[in-house]
């Protein structure tokens, strides 16, 4: 069974779930114990949506859809899923890369603006 299927099992299946932990927290834990998986938090879900990089046709990407997209990007780029996740996350997280946060986009320094659907880029 693939790790992302285990994450779904831990969170969704009635037989074995971590009720008090959301998807991002379960993924963070699994990554910290050595699994190569993304952590689909709000930054990742936002940047993958149809309003930004449009890896989805949805305005709000679900955690599991973001998980699947990052796993595919990992395969396409040859980078680990955790690395792809971290690159995207740092690109749009406050206090880190801050190139494209929820509040503002820095179009002058953005390296992917030609692919971005965000208005004003």
């Amino acid at each position: 069974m693939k790790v992302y299927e285990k994450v779904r099992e831990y969170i969704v299946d009635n037989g074995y779930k971590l009720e008090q932990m959301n998807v991002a927290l379960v993924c963070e834990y699994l990554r910290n114990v050595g699994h190569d998986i993304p952590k689909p938090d709000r930054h990742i879900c936002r940047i993958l949506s149809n309003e930004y990089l449009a890896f989805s046709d949805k305005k709000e990407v679900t955690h599991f859809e973001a998980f699947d997209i990052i796993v595919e990007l990992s395969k396409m780029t040859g980078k680990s899923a955790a690395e792809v996740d971290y690159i995207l996350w740092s690109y749009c997280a406050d206090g880190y890369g801050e190139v494209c946060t929820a509040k503002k986009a820095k179009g002058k320094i953005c390296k992917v603006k030609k692919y971005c659907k965000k208005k004003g880029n």
Side-chain angles (χ1 to χ4, degrees):
M1 179 181 289
K2 294 180 181 178
V3 175
Y4 68 90
E5 291 169 343
K6 278 202 169 294
V7 171
R8 285 188 175 141
E9 178 184 311
Y10 290 153
I11 297 167
V12 177
D13 289 354
N14 291 329
Y16 184 53
K17 64 182 175 179
L18 302 171
E19 292 182 33
Q20 278 66 31
M21 297 173 71
N22 68 18
V23 176
L25 191 56
V26 170
C27 291
E28 179 77 14
Y29 167 75
L30 291 172
R31 227 170 41 187
N32 287 340
V33 297
H35 293 285
D36 176 30
I37 60 171
K39 176 188 158 201
D41 61 10
R42 63 190 172 109
H43 303 296
I44 296 299
C45 292
R46 179 173 46 82
I47 200 164
L48 296 175
S49 74
N50 68 357
E51 292 187 344
Y52 290 83
L53 295 180
F55 281 97
S56 171
D57 59 350
K58 298 175 186 170
K59 183 176 180 178
E60 293 186 26
V61 176
T62 68
H63 291 106
F64 292 123
E65 184 179 10
F67 200 103
D68 292 339
I69 292 168
I70 291 176
V71 168
E72 282 301 311
L73 286 171
S74 170
K75 291 175 187 174
M76 291 168 48
T77 62
K79 297 193 178 300
S80 72
E83 186 176 2
V84 171
D85 173 84
Y86 184 71
I87 291 167
L88 290 171
W89 179 85
S90 63
Y91 205 74
C92 56
D94 291 328
Y96 293 88
E98 289 188 343
V99 175
C100 189
T101 66
K103 297 175 186 165
K104 61 185 178 229
K106 296 178 181 172
K108 291 181 181 178
I109 62 171
C110 182
K111 299 296 181 190
V112 295
K113 65 182 173 185
K114 68 181 179 181
Y115 306 106
C116 186
K117 307 298 184 223
K118 181 71 177 161
K119 291 178 175 71
N121 277 349

